[in-house]
Amino acid sequence: MSSEYNPPQDPLVILHHDHELLFVDKPSGLLSVPGKGEHLADCLIARVQAVFPEALLVHRLDRDTSGVMVFALTPHAQRHLGLQFEKRQTKKTYLARVFGRVEEREGTVDLPLIVDWPNRPKQHVDFENGKPAVTDWKVLRYEDNATRMRLFPQTGRSHQLRVHMLELGHPILGDPFYATGAALDAPRLMLHAESLRLRHPDGGKGITIKAKCPF
């Protein structure tokens, strides 16, 4: 992560709010939780708790990824959602713009990942020690030397989508960790958490919340 941290100061965008759940649209460039050091204190959960002091963390998105994040508003909801994420019962979709032209129209990347210790927080493929990581993907359309894709992670490993697209040979545009050369030429990481589907902690009914893609 770069030493300069200048998160966007946009007002909080609330996508859905009820007695148990709060869904917000995280902007790119804002940490989900505080980093180490006073200069990394500004983050989404701090901003959320300034308005909803009872809000509890359930999951996180990378600093440079935008899109849907859910917070629990009761300990019961936090436990309920935590188990859904742990058991892979939630359904997430992402939009990405990747470098180059992805010739096949859809596919699956099944490559185990582990932290690359000398270069952390980067991750890399490791067939012996890595944890299972699976991403389904689909091409939406072709752009100038880029492909717009929808990604469906079946697991939730750190940097999973970023490393899996790199392994496809098409890094996500603007990725400060994994893109090089012309693939870095983008105003931000072109990765957006488009929708999140889960079961509501009060009654178990399915709920899907979406956030409009900003790119």
Side-chain angles (χ1 to χ4, degrees):
M1 188 185 289
S2 59
S3 55
E4 284 192 21
Y5 177 50
N6 299 305
Q9 298 302 314
D10 312 357
L12 202 59
V13 177
I14 295 168
L15 301 168
H16 172 89
H17 170 221
D18 61 40
H19 62 296
E20 295 265 31
L21 303 178
L22 174 71
F23 289 83
V24 299
D25 187 355
K26 187 185 92 64
S28 175
L30 178 66
L31 289 166
S32 294
V33 296
K36 286 179 181 162
E38 200 55 41
H39 66 299
L40 298 177
D42 186 12
C43 60
L44 186 60
I45 191 163
R47 294 184 185 185
V48 164
Q49 288 174 339
V51 185
F52 301 91
E54 70 277 27
L56 300 163
L57 188 73
V58 176
H59 68 129
R60 53 187 83 183
L61 291 176
D62 292 344
R63 177 189 72 172
D64 297 322
T65 305
S66 57
V68 183
M69 257 185 86
V70 64
F71 293 87
L73 296 180
T74 65
H76 162 72
Q78 187 185 37
R79 284 192 300 274
H80 199 281
L81 296 182
L83 280 170
Q84 289 186 59
F85 275 94
E86 194 181 309
K87 293 177 177 177
R88 301 180 194 166
Q89 293 169 341
T90 60
K91 190 172 181 185
K92 296 173 263 189
T93 67
Y94 287 76
L95 288 172
R97 290 181 66 229
V98 303
F99 184 66
R101 184 183 174 94
V102 181
E103 290 300 337
E104 291 180 34
R105 297 306 302 231
E106 57 185 64
T108 298
V109 181
D110 184 352
L111 293 170
L113 300 176
I114 196 167
V115 66
D116 183 1
W117 278 107
N119 302 301
R120 62 184 182 275
K122 286 177 77 171
Q123 311 285 315
H124 65 163
V125 174
D126 184 330
F127 289 99
E128 283 185 25
N129 305 303
K131 292 180 176 174
V134 180
T135 305
D136 296 326
W137 56 268
K138 194 173 194 173
V139 167
L140 296 178
R141 68 173 182 266
Y142 298 112
E143 301 171 351
D144 289 341
N145 204 23
T147 305
R148 185 175 285 265
M149 302 173 73
R150 186 166 275 128
L151 310 178
F152 310 91
Q154 304 305 317
T155 50
R157 305 295 171 211
S158 181
H159 290 193
Q160 174 178 319
L161 301 178
R162 300 160 76 156
V163 178
H164 277 177
M165 292 304 100
L166 177 71
E167 292 292 330
L168 264 189
H170 300 277
I172 297 175
L173 290 170
D175 190 332
F177 286 128
Y178 303 101
T180 54
L184 268 173
D185 188 18
R188 53 161 286 188
L189 173 71
M190 292 291 173
L191 181 63
H192 176 73
E194 177 189 34
S195 73
L196 176 59
R197 180 171 178 80
L198 45 79
R199 285 181 294 108
H200 199 286
D202 185 1
K205 189 178 176 188
I207 179 173
T208 303
I209 301 296
K210 295 185 175 184
K212 192 174 185 313
C213 185
F215 55 80

